[in-house]
Amino acid sequence: MENHIYTVNLKWENDRKGLISSPELPTTIEVATPPEFDKGMPNIWSPEHLFTAAVLSCFMTTFLAVTEYSKLDFISFECNAEGILEKFDGKYLMTKIVLKPTLTIADLNKIEKAQRVLELSEKACLISNSIKSEVVLQPIINIEN
Protein backbone atom coordinates (compact mmCIF):
# COMPACT_ATOMS: atom_id res chain seq x y z
CA MET A 1 0.00 0.00 0.00
CA GLU A 2 1.25 3.46 -0.82
CA ASN A 3 1.50 6.28 1.71
CA HIS A 4 -1.56 8.44 2.27
CA ILE A 5 -1.55 12.04 3.45
CA TYR A 6 -4.38 13.61 5.45
CA THR A 7 -4.20 17.40 5.57
CA VAL A 8 -5.66 19.27 8.53
CA ASN A 9 -5.44 23.02 9.08
CA LEU A 10 -5.99 25.10 12.18
CA LYS A 11 -6.74 28.80 12.47
CA TRP A 12 -6.62 30.43 15.88
CA GLU A 13 -9.76 32.50 16.58
CA ASN A 14 -9.37 34.00 20.06
CA ASP A 15 -8.53 33.11 23.65
CA ARG A 16 -7.81 29.36 23.69
CA LYS A 17 -10.01 28.53 20.70
CA GLY A 18 -9.45 27.75 17.03
CA LEU A 19 -11.06 26.15 13.98
CA ILE A 20 -9.85 22.91 12.44
CA SER A 21 -10.56 22.30 8.78
CA SER A 22 -9.35 20.17 5.93
CA PRO A 23 -9.29 20.94 2.23
CA GLU A 24 -10.63 17.39 1.79
CA LEU A 25 -13.74 17.92 3.98
CA PRO A 26 -16.70 20.32 3.88
CA THR A 27 -17.03 21.07 7.62
CA THR A 28 -14.97 22.75 10.29
CA ILE A 29 -14.62 21.81 13.96
CA GLU A 30 -14.25 24.35 16.72
CA VAL A 31 -11.55 23.25 19.19
CA ALA A 32 -10.36 24.69 22.48
CA THR A 33 -8.52 23.95 25.67
CA PRO A 34 -10.88 21.85 27.85
CA PRO A 35 -12.44 23.54 30.88
CA GLU A 36 -10.37 21.42 33.30
CA PHE A 37 -7.32 23.52 32.35
CA ASP A 38 -6.59 27.17 33.05
CA LYS A 39 -8.60 29.39 30.68
CA GLY A 40 -10.26 26.29 29.21
CA MET A 41 -13.60 26.59 27.46
CA PRO A 42 -16.66 24.40 28.03
CA ASN A 43 -18.89 22.98 25.30
CA ILE A 44 -16.19 22.89 22.63
CA TRP A 45 -14.31 19.87 21.25
CA SER A 46 -10.86 19.58 22.82
CA PRO A 47 -7.71 17.80 21.64
CA GLU A 48 -8.49 15.17 24.29
CA HIS A 49 -11.96 14.60 22.82
CA LEU A 50 -10.54 14.41 19.31
CA PHE A 51 -7.82 11.95 20.39
CA THR A 52 -10.45 9.70 21.98
CA ALA A 53 -12.72 10.11 18.95
CA ALA A 54 -9.88 9.13 16.60
CA VAL A 55 -9.45 5.81 18.40
CA LEU A 56 -13.21 5.26 18.60
CA SER A 57 -13.94 6.04 14.95
CA CYS A 58 -11.01 3.90 13.80
CA PHE A 59 -12.30 1.02 15.94
CA MET A 60 -15.71 1.34 14.26
CA THR A 61 -14.37 1.42 10.71
CA THR A 62 -12.04 -1.50 11.44
CA PHE A 63 -14.93 -3.42 13.02
CA LEU A 64 -17.04 -2.88 9.89
CA ALA A 65 -14.25 -4.19 7.67
CA VAL A 66 -13.59 -7.20 9.91
CA THR A 67 -17.29 -8.13 10.13
CA GLU A 68 -17.55 -8.00 6.35
CA TYR A 69 -14.44 -10.16 5.92
CA SER A 70 -15.58 -12.57 8.70
CA LYS A 71 -19.15 -12.66 7.39
CA LEU A 72 -20.53 -11.79 10.82
CA ASP A 73 -24.05 -10.44 10.51
CA PHE A 74 -25.12 -7.96 13.17
CA ILE A 75 -28.23 -5.95 13.93
CA SER A 76 -26.68 -2.93 15.58
CA PHE A 77 -23.38 -1.56 16.79
CA GLU A 78 -22.78 1.33 19.16
CA CYS A 79 -19.69 2.25 21.10
CA ASN A 80 -18.87 4.68 23.88
CA ALA A 81 -15.30 5.59 24.71
CA GLU A 82 -13.51 7.21 27.62
CA GLY A 83 -10.14 8.87 27.25
CA ILE A 84 -8.18 8.92 30.50
CA LEU A 85 -5.83 11.87 31.01
CA GLU A 86 -3.20 11.54 33.75
CA LYS A 87 -0.14 13.45 34.86
CA PHE A 88 3.21 11.58 34.94
CA ASP A 89 6.56 13.18 35.67
CA GLY A 90 5.07 16.64 35.26
CA LYS A 91 3.54 15.83 31.85
CA TYR A 92 -0.04 15.17 30.90
CA LEU A 93 -0.61 11.96 28.95
CA MET A 94 -3.64 10.26 27.51
CA THR A 95 -2.83 6.98 29.25
CA LYS A 96 -5.84 4.88 28.41
CA ILE A 97 -8.78 4.70 26.02
CA VAL A 98 -11.63 2.48 27.19
CA LEU A 99 -13.86 1.27 24.35
CA LYS A 100 -17.31 0.08 25.37
CA PRO A 101 -18.97 -1.40 22.30
CA THR A 102 -22.50 -2.79 22.39
CA LEU A 103 -23.07 -5.26 19.58
CA THR A 104 -26.43 -6.83 18.86
CA ILE A 105 -26.55 -10.04 16.84
CA ALA A 106 -29.43 -12.39 15.98
CA ASP A 107 -27.70 -15.76 16.35
CA LEU A 108 -26.95 -17.01 19.87
CA ASN A 109 -24.41 -19.43 18.38
CA LYS A 110 -22.31 -16.51 17.08
CA ILE A 111 -21.47 -14.94 20.46
CA GLU A 112 -17.90 -16.32 20.52
CA LYS A 113 -17.33 -15.25 16.92
CA ALA A 114 -18.69 -11.78 17.72
CA GLN A 115 -16.32 -11.52 20.69
CA ARG A 116 -13.36 -12.54 18.50
CA VAL A 117 -14.35 -10.03 15.82
CA LEU A 118 -14.50 -7.21 18.38
CA GLU A 119 -11.11 -8.19 19.82
CA LEU A 120 -9.54 -8.47 16.36
CA SER A 121 -11.00 -5.09 15.39
CA GLU A 122 -9.33 -3.45 18.37
CA LYS A 123 -6.00 -5.17 17.66
CA ALA A 124 -6.12 -4.21 13.96
CA CYS A 125 -7.11 -0.56 14.48
CA LEU A 126 -4.37 1.56 12.92
CA ILE A 127 -4.90 4.48 15.29
CA SER A 128 -4.69 2.24 18.37
CA ASN A 129 -1.52 0.74 16.91
CA SER A 130 -0.07 4.23 16.39
CA ILE A 131 -0.35 5.52 19.96
CA LYS A 132 1.32 4.79 23.29
CA SER A 133 -1.96 4.82 25.25
CA GLU A 134 -3.39 1.53 26.46
CA VAL A 135 -6.63 0.62 24.70
CA VAL A 136 -9.06 -1.46 26.77
CA LEU A 137 -12.04 -3.24 25.22
CA GLN A 138 -15.15 -3.81 27.37
CA PRO A 139 -17.73 -5.30 24.99
CA ILE A 140 -21.36 -6.16 25.54
CA ILE A 141 -22.98 -8.54 23.09
CA ASN A 142 -26.77 -8.70 22.97
CA ILE A 143 -28.95 -11.27 21.22
CA GLU A 144 -32.07 -10.09 19.45
CA ASN A 145 -34.36 -12.39 17.54
Side-chain angles (χ1 to χ4, degrees), residues 21-82:
S21 64
S22 172
E24 301 142 10
L25 302 170
T27 58
T28 60
I29 300 173
E30 193 173 48
V31 294
T33 302
E36 296 80 17
F37 290 93
D38 185 38
K39 298 182 183 177
M41 306 176 93
N43 305 315
I44 299 175
W45 282 84
S46 69
E48 295 80 0
H49 286 106
L50 294 170
F51 184 87
T52 304
V55 173
L56 177 57
S57 58
C58 183
F59 173 68
M60 180 204 70
T61 57
T62 305
F63 168 79
L64 295 173
V66 172
T67 56
E68 186 177 321
Y69 178 79
S70 301
K71 297 181 181 14
L72 175 69
D73 293 324
F74 64 96
I75 296 168
S76 67
F77 172 85
E78 292 181 26
C79 191
N80 296 320
E82 296 174 347

